[in-house]
Amino acid sequence: LRGDAAWQKISAANRFNDPPADGMEYILAEISLTLLTSKDNKAVSFNEYDFTAFSSDGAEYEQVIIVPPNPDFDGRLFPGGMLTGYAVFQVRKNDPAPRVVIGEDYYGQGGAWFSLVK
């Protein structure tokens, strides 16, 4: 969800959530992740802050601290486990194709990239 529809769900999740900044809007993304393997078959922790949002022109968006609707994307998985939950990103209203990445290195390279719009 994006814009007013996202804000309605986010504000209903926690009355202390701040509205988006001027010229910005929220995207409420439902994320599902299945852990296929891990080193030594150990558990791996994931949460919404493992994802970094970028604009369609490559600028990194600042992360926002928002209480998402339940279920939030947060948990530990062993290989074969699946985690589904909501994450919130703040993007420019006029950004036609924002995206997120998980697992990029310090230089912003690598990782798995996903579109935030259908």
Side-chain angles (χ1 to χ4, degrees):
L1 294 176
R2 185 172 184 167
D4 289 336
W7 172 237
Q8 293 303 316
K9 286 193 94 159
I10 292 165
S11 62
N14 187 301
R15 65 185 175 115
F16 297 108
N17 281 336
D18 291 326
D22 287 341
M24 307 291 277
E25 65 185 357
Y26 288 126
I27 291 181
L28 179 62
E30 183 177 28
I31 300 171
S32 291
L33 183 145
T34 300
L35 182 66
L36 301 177
T37 63
S38 67
K39 186 174 181 176
D40 299 325
N41 287 324
K42 292 185 178 178
V44 180
S45 294
F46 294 97
N47 67 52
E48 67 182 281
Y49 301 108
D50 292 325
F51 291 87
T52 304
F54 283 84
S55 67
S56 55
D57 58 7
E60 184 175 340
Y61 283 115
E62 287 186 36
Q63 289 190 334
V64 292
I65 307 297
I66 291 291
V67 177
N70 286 325
D72 61 336
F73 185 79
D74 187 20
R76 286 178 13 143
L77 297 176
F78 284 93
M82 182 174 161
L83 176 64
T84 299
Y86 289 108
V88 178
F89 304 98
Q90 185 174 237
V91 302
R92 289 189 323 263
K93 285 183 178 181
N94 63 353
D95 190 344
R99 52 204 170 124
V100 295
V101 62
I102 184 172
E104 83 279 15
D105 66 16
Y106 176 79
Y107 301 102
Q109 299 176 342
W113 291 80
F114 303 92
S115 174
L116 284 172
V117 295
K118 290 183 181 183

